[in-house]
Amino acid sequence: MAKTAEPVRVSIIDDHPVVIEGIRAWLSVEPRVHIEHVGHRVPPYRSEVDVVIIDLNLDGRLVVDDIAALAEVGQRVIAFSQFTEEELVLSTLDAGAYAFVAKSEGADHLLTTVFAVAEGRPYVTPTAAGVLASDRRPDAPILSERERTALLWWFQSMSKASVASRMGISPHTVDMYIRRARLKYAQVGRAAPTKADMLVRAIEDGLVTADEIAEGCPTPVPPVGVARRDRLRNLAVR
C-alpha cells in the first residue's frame, strides 16, 4: 500500500475515546503506523508527527479554522467526520486539509489516506470525490495569499531557499505551500505535476500574471497569446 517503509507518525484528535480506540485498532494492522499522540483538543502548534487525524466537530464546535491554522504551519491534516455536507467538505479542503475521510468509509480508506498524506500524495475518498464532482464552483482552486506569493516568487526563478528567506519562513514551509497548491489542483481534476504545469494553471486562472513573473526574471517573458501553453512549458523548470 505505501511506497515507503519509513514509519508514519500519527496524531488522533477526537472528543470521543471510543472513536480514538477505533482508529487505533484500524491502523494497528499496519506496523509502520505509529500512534504518537491522542487528544481531544487541537494543539496550537505543529506537532512532531507526520499526519494529524482530526474530527471536524470537537465538543460541539467545528474546527475548520483550526485546520487552517495547522495547515499554515505545515501540518498535514486528515479531516475525519460523520458530517459529509458538500459545503463543509469543500470548506475543509479549502482550509488546507490534505484529505477528507468520512467516518462511514472505514479502515481501508483511512489507512490508504494516512500513507498518501504522509507521502504528500493526493488521495480522494469516494465521499470527497462525490462532493468535488458535484462542485459547481469555478474549477480554479482557492489559494491563500501566502501560497500565491510563494508560487509567484518560485515562478520568478527563485530557489525555494530564496523564497523562504524573503518570506521569513523555512524552506520546508515553502515546499509545503507549493505541494498544497499542487494538491488543490489535483482535487479539482487539473493535475499540475511539474513546475511548468503549475505556471500554466496559475496564469490560466489569473493567480499570477506574465508581467508579475517578468518582474523577477532575468529575461523577459514572452507575451501570452494563442500558443502560450507551448511557450510556458518551455520555461526553465527548477
Side-chain angles (χ1 to χ4, degrees):
M1 180 181 295
K3 293 182 178 180
T4 175
E6 295 294 321
V8 177
R9 301 166 299 170
V10 174
S11 172
I12 305 171
I13 308 296
D14 200 294
D15 55 353
H16 293 92
V18 67
V19 174
I20 292 177
E21 292 310 309
I23 295 174
R24 191 194 294 275
W26 283 357
L27 302 184
S28 67
V29 300
E30 176 51 71
R32 285 168 292 178
V33 175
H34 296 182
I35 307 300
E36 300 283 351
H37 168 264
V38 299
H40 65 280
R41 293 180 180 174
V42 181
Y45 50 82
R46 176 185 170 87
S47 55
E48 295 299 321
V49 297
D50 301 303
V51 178
V52 173
I53 301 172
I54 185 170
D55 186 357
L56 269 181
N57 189 328
L58 295 176
D59 297 321
R61 182 177 68 88
L62 291 176
V63 296
V64 175
D65 289 343
D66 300 81
I67 290 175
L70 290 174
E72 187 68 21
V73 296
Q75 190 76 69
R76 298 177 181 181
V77 177
I78 297 173
F80 187 61
S81 178
Q82 75 271 29
F83 299 118
T84 58
E85 291 82 356
E86 178 179 330
E87 183 177 358
L88 182 57
V89 175
L90 292 174
S91 296
T92 302
L93 296 174
D94 287 343
Y98 259 65
F100 178 94
V101 180
K103 289 186 175 179
S104 60
E105 290 181 307
D108 288 346
H109 279 297
L110 182 60
L111 192 56
T112 300
T113 305
V114 165
F115 279 116
V117 170
E119 296 168 2
R121 293 185 289 108
Y123 179 74
V124 182
T125 62
T127 295
V131 169
L132 292 168
S134 63
D135 182 14
R136 293 295 178 264
R137 303 179 307 176
D139 60 359
I142 299 174
L143 303 186
S144 70
E145 184 55 35
R146 290 179 71 76
E147 289 170 345
R148 195 198 80 87
T149 299
L151 281 180
L152 173 60
W153 288 344
W154 185 50
F155 291 150
Q156 289 176 337
S157 298
M158 294 178 64
S159 68
K160 293 177 182 177
S162 297
V163 173
S165 177
R166 189 169 177 180
M167 294 183 72
I169 57 179
S170 70
H172 170 81
T173 302
V174 171
D175 190 56
M176 183 270 294
Y177 285 152
I178 294 169
R179 283 189 283 106
R180 203 161 69 194
R182 185 168 282 136
L183 177 64
K184 289 180 178 180
Y185 269 108
Q187 287 172 338
V188 297
R190 300 169 64 207
T194 69
K195 185 175 182 178
D197 292 327
M198 285 288 293
L199 179 55
V200 171
R201 299 277 188 269
I203 288 182
E204 287 175 342
D205 296 336
L207 298 174
V208 300
T209 67
D211 288 341
E212 286 179 309
I213 297 168
E215 290 175 2
C217 287
T219 55
V221 173
V224 178
V226 176
R228 67 179 183 181
R229 181 183 298 271
D230 291 339
R231 286 197 295 273
L232 290 170
R233 286 188 188 282
N234 290 329
L235 290 177
V237 177
R238 181 165 304 180

